[in-house]
Amino acid sequence: MARVRRYRYYTFFAAIVVFLLYRVVQNSEQWETVSASFPHAAPRSKSQLPPPASDSQSDTLNKGISSEDDHLPQRILDSTGKDSTPAQVPAQVPAQVPAQVPDITTTQQTEDADDADFKHPPKTDTTINKEGVRAYDHDEATKDIAEPAINVPDKSVGQGAKDSENKPINPAATAIHWKKVPEHFPVPASEIIPLPTGKPKKIPTIQYAFGKESSESKELRERRLQQVKAEMERSWAGYWKYAKGHDELSPVSKKFRDPFCGWAATLVDSLDTLWIMGMEEEFKEAIVEVEKIDFTIGKRAEIPVFETTIRYLGGLIAAYDVSGGKSGGYDILLDKALELAEILMGVFDTPNRMPVLYYNWKPSFASQPKRASSNAGVAELGSLAMEFTRLAQITKEDKYYDAVARITDALYEWQESGTSIPGIFPEHVDASGCNHTAQSELEAAQNAVELGTYDETDAHGIAGDDFDPSPDLSLQGQRARSEKARSSLSKRSGKSSALNLNIAKKKDSKTGNSDLGSGERILPECVSQGLTSGGWRHEEYGMGGSQDSTYEYFPKQWLLLGGLEPKYKELHLKVSEAVKKWLLFRPMVPDDRDILFSAKLTTNGEPETDAQKQYEVTHLTCFIGGMFGMGGKIFDVPTDVEIGKKLTEGCVWAYESTPSGIMPEGAHVLPCPDAKNCPWNQTLYEQTLDPSFASREEQVEEYHKRKAKTKAALQIAKEEKHNAQNLAASTRNKNQPGKLSHDDTSLDDSQVEHDNVKVQKRAPVPAEEDLQDDEMESRFKGKILKLSDSDNDLEDSDPAPGFKKSDVDQVPLQVDEDTEEEDTLRPLSHKEWVAHKIESEKLPTGFVDVNWKAYILRPEAIESVWYMYRITGDQKWQDKGWKMFKAITRHTTTATGNSAIDNVLSANPKQSDEMESFWTAETLKYFYLLYSEPNVISLDQYVLNTEAHPFKRPKAPFGVE
């Protein structure tokens, strides 16, 4: 009967499962129907399809990068080694598209005579494609010839950057595009801050006066140069084949990633690198892809403003500059830069004109009023200046400069009014422009006015001396007093003169109501204030991530503006003094090298008494060597140049110290007690590794005391037990006279005493009730073999046939002390603890810890090495850089590019299948420039943004008379 019931249950549950499966299938069909209704790009009609390619065309196209040619990157590398001429990588063009790559040409650059020594790639005459393409000439910029063969993005179907098959990257994505909306907080034309005018100032030269190099040095330099270029060619070929049109290549899996907006980040970021390395054909092919990018639609709901500005806007502007500017003929670069800049200008439409750093670009959101973040990163806030300034210089449009000049003014006023660490800014910034505390007090005062109870004590004494003891209770009087309270609060809030647009919404002069559009919100009013700390209680100051590039841009902006804006010089000099006073430290290292790093400081506002420092070593901070070196040259501070050298040497040391030869992303070291005299102190180093070193020996001593006490108790118990057993045996013998055992006749006093001693050494482990910690004693160095309780009854067991029963206790065998096992429960001594930490964490000597072991192809260390070489002319920097290059390529090279690695402390780290766009935009560019001729991207003619994109400096007489 029970079996029948069980079968019924089984049948019931089976029916439920079948029903659920049926529902799942039905839902899947419904979803397919729904998804089919989503907007997609309409298929092209047969009349629109291009004719099939001829065999000759196919053969020509197959010479480029094709999906079948998996070994092309390696062939490029091999051919580069055989021939010093640049290896060209033609674009992959789909076989069904007969249009040829347009021959984009330029003429000899005549814009700037200072660039005469910079050998641009050879220029060719303009030709026109038979099918008709967008051609580039030098007199009329761009013009359409016949019907354009380049497929301009169709904004009606939601396509952005296109893939290698000329299809939308995400055809199922929404068709919503960005469009320009009216500003809520426009800057009146009369108040737009113009670019500085006048003749650029005389600025000291930055680069060393290089002489003629020897033939041996030239041969070595050019050989290294070609190896760097070969890495670029392979990485670019891999990107072009597997990730063209996407943000990044996954160089191990041969796939792609779109961490930004899907606007081909690596392609745009690498344009100037292609030009500088003489990869002209690759540059032309990339230009064609650039024109396909549609910045009005993206894969992300929010645009990361900082990354987009430095990579995309900076990349387009720099490519325009290095390729000859207006005379170069690549006006599409400027066109796309303007297209992107117009979108990004929307981030500044806030009451105080501070930017929204993550911008929701869709019109339904972009059309709403907004404020800047109350917890913005200072690096993101202050690192937009160079890109918008250079765009303003090229286009003569002051609105681009105005947008970033207001940020500079706010930072300048904040530095002048003072931060907890005078001269530098906390990592997190309240850029909202709202004093929330003062606003709460204001609202309380207004409420009191409306109730007729407002007096001098309201709002914590806001009115002060302006308090009227006989208030006018009329409506007009109440309004007057409310405005007086608001005025007093506004003064107390420290409102910045640079932030003069902090209003909620313009109101109609007749009705007094805000003029709102359909579905439009209104921002609540607030009491204005300048920039202030946005952290929670404590503030963090440093030169690393989230802070770095704002400080980097101060001296570079001064150069870009020809020295005509003195604020940037003042900002930089105060920063350098603050860094030298509060952050720089010398680490204690084994070979006593005189190197420097920059620490991170945390304070609650009283750094003289509560400052806490982290003596960090981070890859991002390695840019600071170049910053100090360049700043020292242009502002004539020789000591800063020397500091720059020591900071750069610090990062070189970090590279040399690891098994892989590569610096970790993040670590900590031990600061020297005396920066001027810092010999290696092994004891101090080990004590730093083990903060509990003082208690380690006490713990071990206490353990041994407890162990000795336990052993003594065991020994006493064993002796008592043994004596009791001997007494029992003696009693049995006395009860049987005339029968003497063999053992009784052979034992004398001395032998008995000797056996007692042996019993003490070989005493078995007592029962659990005799121990404080049975588990501890059972494992203690393996000296004692534990016997079961049945061993105690051996004397009562029957002897084997032919043997007499023994009257003497059996004693367990003793383990020889030479074969003792380690006591795993004994606390480690200080020396043992340190040795275990170093071994388990694979710590290089001198490092206290390594909290981020990866290397993600970062450029900051080689960036400063390059600056030091160009500033000092010392070839040792080239040698140091070469060791870094060989270590990096040894561990990161893949068949299609270079990959980030997971652990630089391993001699064989794992590749993590990521190739950031800054690998080709920055890292390889700096390595290449380290071994190029010094006039290629001269620091006296160009200034590089934080993504290594070179912008032309204004013409100026260099050198100081």
Side-chain angles (χ1 to χ4, degrees), residues 4-118:
V4 173
R5 289 199 189 100
R6 192 161 55 245
Y7 287 153
R8 288 177 181 173
Y9 288 132
Y10 291 159
T11 304
F12 175 72
F13 286 116
I16 292 176
V17 171
V18 171
F19 176 75
L20 292 175
L21 289 174
Y22 172 77
R23 295 290 296 175
V24 170
V25 172
Q26 290 296 318
N27 289 339
S28 299
E29 293 175 355
Q30 293 174 8
W31 277 112
E32 290 175 3
T33 303
V34 173
S35 64
S37 67
F38 289 164
H40 293 276
R44 302 173 66 181
S45 65
K46 292 184 179 180
S47 61
Q48 294 174 316
L49 293 175
S54 64
D55 294 339
S56 60
Q57 288 173 327
S58 301
D59 293 340
T60 303
L61 295 173
N62 287 337
K63 293 179 182 179
I65 303 175
S66 66
S67 59
E68 292 82 6
D69 194 356
D70 292 334
H71 301 291
L72 180 58
Q74 188 59 45
R75 290 214 325 269
I76 292 175
L77 182 59
D78 295 341
S79 64
T80 303
K82 296 176 183 179
D83 190 357
S84 60
T85 58
Q88 305 298 338
V89 186
Q92 178 186 4
V93 182
Q96 70 271 21
V97 181
Q100 301 175 4
V101 175
D103 189 0
I104 304 170
T105 59
T106 58
T107 58
Q108 182 66 34
Q109 180 180 355
T110 58
E111 183 179 6
D112 192 343
D114 292 331
D115 287 343
D117 294 333
F118 181 9

Side-chain angles (χ1 to χ4, degrees), residues 232 235-236 247 264-277 307 310-312 314-316 318 857-859 862-863 915-929 937 944-950:
M232 176 62 187
S235 293
W236 180 256
D247 286 340
T266 296
L267 188 146
V268 177
D269 223 0
S270 306
L271 288 170
D272 51 10
T273 305
L274 295 173
W275 182 271
I276 290 168
M277 292 190 182
E307 296 289 354
I310 66 172
R311 299 187 194 219
Y312 290 96
L316 290 166
L857 306 177
R858 287 201 192 274
I862 191 59
E863 172 185 349
M915 190 177 86
E916 293 255 16
S917 70
F918 52 62
W919 167 248
T920 50
E922 296 188 73
T923 309
L924 286 177
K925 183 186 295 171
Y926 281 124
F927 275 119
Y928 185 86
L929 292 175
I937 310 298
L944 282 68
N945 84 335
T946 193
E947 193 75 3
H949 293 310

Side-chain angles (χ1 to χ4, degrees), residues 116-232:
D117 294 333
F118 181 9
K119 305 299 182 183
H120 290 280
K123 313 297 188 299
T124 56
D125 294 334
T126 303
T127 59
I128 300 176
N129 191 303
K130 294 180 180 180
E131 277 72 20
V133 299
R134 176 156 296 182
Y136 299 75
D137 61 26
H138 314 119
D139 300 322
E140 303 178 25
T142 65
K143 61 181 180 180
D144 288 333
I145 307 299
E147 181 180 355
I150 297 175
N151 189 4
V152 178
D154 182 1
K155 298 183 179 181
S156 65
V157 297
Q159 58 192 16
K162 297 185 178 181
D163 62 16
S164 59
E165 296 180 358
N166 205 29
K167 296 178 180 178
I169 289 177
N170 188 4
T174 175
I176 299 175
H177 286 256
W178 170 89
K179 64 180 181 180
K180 191 173 182 63
V181 296
E183 286 192 307
H184 293 275
F185 312 102
V187 179
S190 60
E191 296 183 20
I192 291 179
I193 302 174
L195 280 163
T197 58
K199 185 176 181 180
K201 294 183 178 295
K202 293 182 179 181
I203 299 174
T205 55
I206 301 173
Q207 290 207 161
Y208 177 79
F210 290 91
K212 184 177 180 180
E213 62 183 334
S214 66
S215 57
E216 294 81 6
S217 298
K218 182 178 180 180
E219 180 182 358
L220 176 62
R221 177 182 60 77
E222 290 181 344
R223 185 166 64 248
R224 291 173 172 176
L225 186 73
Q226 288 305 316
Q227 291 188 45
V228 175
K229 183 176 180 179
E231 287 294 317
M232 176 62 187

Side-chain angles (χ1 to χ4, degrees), residues 608-626:
E608 296 287 354
T609 58
D610 68 4
Q612 296 182 350
K613 291 185 180 180
Q614 299 178 44
Y615 296 98
E616 61 181 14
V617 173
T618 67
H619 207 291
L620 277 170
T621 313
C622 285
F623 86 95
I624 194 174

Side-chain angles (χ1 to χ4, degrees), residues 251 423 670 834:
L670 174 64
V834 169

Side-chain angles (χ1 to χ4, degrees), residues 882-944:
W882 190 245
K883 291 180 181 179
M884 296 163 63
F885 177 78
K886 298 300 290 183
I888 291 172
T889 54
R890 180 167 60 251
H891 296 294
T892 67
T893 298
T894 73
T896 60
N898 294 77
S899 171
I901 54 177
D902 67 337
N903 186 1
V904 300
L905 303 185
S906 170
N908 297 292
K910 295 180 181 179
Q911 295 178 339
S912 53
D913 199 21
E914 294 180 359
M915 190 177 86
E916 293 255 16
S917 70
F918 52 62
W919 167 248
T920 50
E922 296 188 73
T923 309
L924 286 177
K925 183 186 295 171
Y926 281 124
F927 275 119
Y928 185 86
L929 292 175
L930 182 61
Y931 305 109
S932 67
E933 294 184 0
N935 64 300
V936 177
I937 310 298
S938 167
L939 287 172
D940 294 320
Q941 297 172 3
Y942 289 87
V943 56
L944 282 68

